[in-house]
Every structure is written in C-alpha cells, then in structure tokens.
Amino acid sequence: DQAVTPAAPYAAGGDYGPPAPTEAGNVYLPVPAIPPAPSVRWETPATDGQSVPAISLAAVEATACSSNPTLLQAQAQIQGNLGKAIQAGLWPNPTVIYQAEQIGGKGTAGEFHGGIVRQRIVTAHKLDLSREKHRARTRTAEWVALAQQYRVLNDVRIHYFRSRGRQELLHVQQ
C-alpha cells in the first residue's frame, strides 16, 4: 500500500499550496477501488413468442450508480467541503467604506468626503490550519461517499441475484 499525504490533490480541486509536514497520525491510505462485479448476464426465457432482452449485472449497477440520489448527495458533500477548503486558506477580503455628506445649504463649503479601508490580518498560520481542517472533512466525505457506494452496489447485487434465483425457481416449477 502506498501512503498518501494530506497534501495530495483531490480529483476536483488540484493542489492547494505547500504540502503540510508529515507527522505521526497525519498519513492517510489511498481510497480503495470498488471491487469488480462478477460478469453475469441474466438470460430470461422467451414467453408467448416474445424474446426478453438479457439484463446484465453491470448494466443494473451502472444504472443504480448513475441515478441513485444518495450517491449524488455524497458527491455534492465532497464538492462542498472541497470548496470550503479552498476558501478557508484565502485571505479575507478587505472592506472599503466611502462616506460623503453635505453640511450647510447650497453653494456653501462644508462638504465631507471620507473613507475607511479595513483589512483583517490573520497570523500564526491560522489559514493553513483552517484549510487542513476542511481538507480533513473532505477526506471524511470521500470515505462516506465510498461507503454509500458500497451500500448501493451491495443492495443491487443482493436484489439482482435474489430476483434471478426466483426467476430460475419459477422456470423450474413450470
């Protein structure tokens, strides 16, 4: 197994700056790949002279993974946390305030024009710490999404083979 440091770029974001120092407890394993599904085609017998197309497990899994709302929600969580990680390391925007008043009547001196420029200064590497916090949340969201994908695939496989078994049982009984 190859270790991945926290500075490894994510699929959607890229590099976020200088890598964080690798310390004890700060090294993460890569996300494991989804296990391959067995290559199975469900040959349904023809009934009443009409042939029924074969349904493969891969096709059912692909449909489930592309249209399952919980997987889309998990992907949105990853993207949201990734956006927060990018934003957390940026300097705060300065505030510029302009104010004008006219004191007195027409044609008299006494106009006031002024402004304020305000900038929050962040010290002690707090931006880096905030970014690391959100990157850790992004990694957690990735693992949650992977777990959800395993749940969806597991449910699809269970129901696929259960349906196939019932179809075979019906075919044997006929």
Side-chain angles (χ1 to χ4, degrees):
D1 288 330
Q2 180 182 3
V4 175
T5 62
Y10 292 100
D15 193 14
Y16 304 121
T22 303
E23 300 168 0
N26 207 14
V27 176
Y28 304 92
L29 294 176
V31 178
I34 302 275
S39 178
V40 177
R41 290 188 65 80
W42 186 351
E43 300 293 337
T44 53
T47 57
D48 299 335
Q50 298 175 350
S51 63
V52 179
I55 302 171
S56 70
L57 178 59
V60 174
E61 286 178 343
T63 302
C65 287
S66 65
S67 61
N68 189 296
T70 61
L71 295 179
L72 297 174
Q73 180 183 10
Q75 188 64 32
Q77 283 292 109
I78 293 171
Q79 294 299 319
N81 285 327
L82 189 58
K84 288 177 185 176
I86 292 170
Q87 185 66 33
L90 301 176
W91 282 91
N93 291 333
T95 305
V96 178
I97 300 172
Y98 173 75
Q99 184 177 7
E101 297 180 6
Q102 184 174 2
I103 302 172
K106 285 188 170 182
T108 61
E111 289 188 17
F112 169 77
H113 294 276
I116 299 171
V117 177
R118 195 178 330 172
Q119 173 68 49
R120 197 174 112 217
I121 305 295
V122 183
T123 59
H125 301 287
K126 289 183 186 104
L127 293 177
D128 295 335
L129 294 173
S130 180
R131 178 176 281 172
E132 283 301 315
K133 172 184 75 171
H134 287 290
R135 289 173 69 189
R137 288 181 180 174
T138 303
R139 284 190 295 274
T140 302
E142 287 175 341
W143 284 103
V144 169
L146 182 66
Q148 183 60 29
Q149 191 168 5
Y150 279 135
R151 282 187 214 105
V152 168
L153 290 175
N154 189 36
D155 285 346
V156 166
R157 290 173 184 173
I158 286 171
H159 291 295
Y160 178 85
F161 286 111
R162 188 176 290 161
S163 298
R164 184 175 174 186
R166 288 181 181 155
Q167 182 71 27
E168 290 295 321
L169 183 62
L170 181 66
H171 180 63
V172 167
Q173 287 176 352
Q174 286 177 348

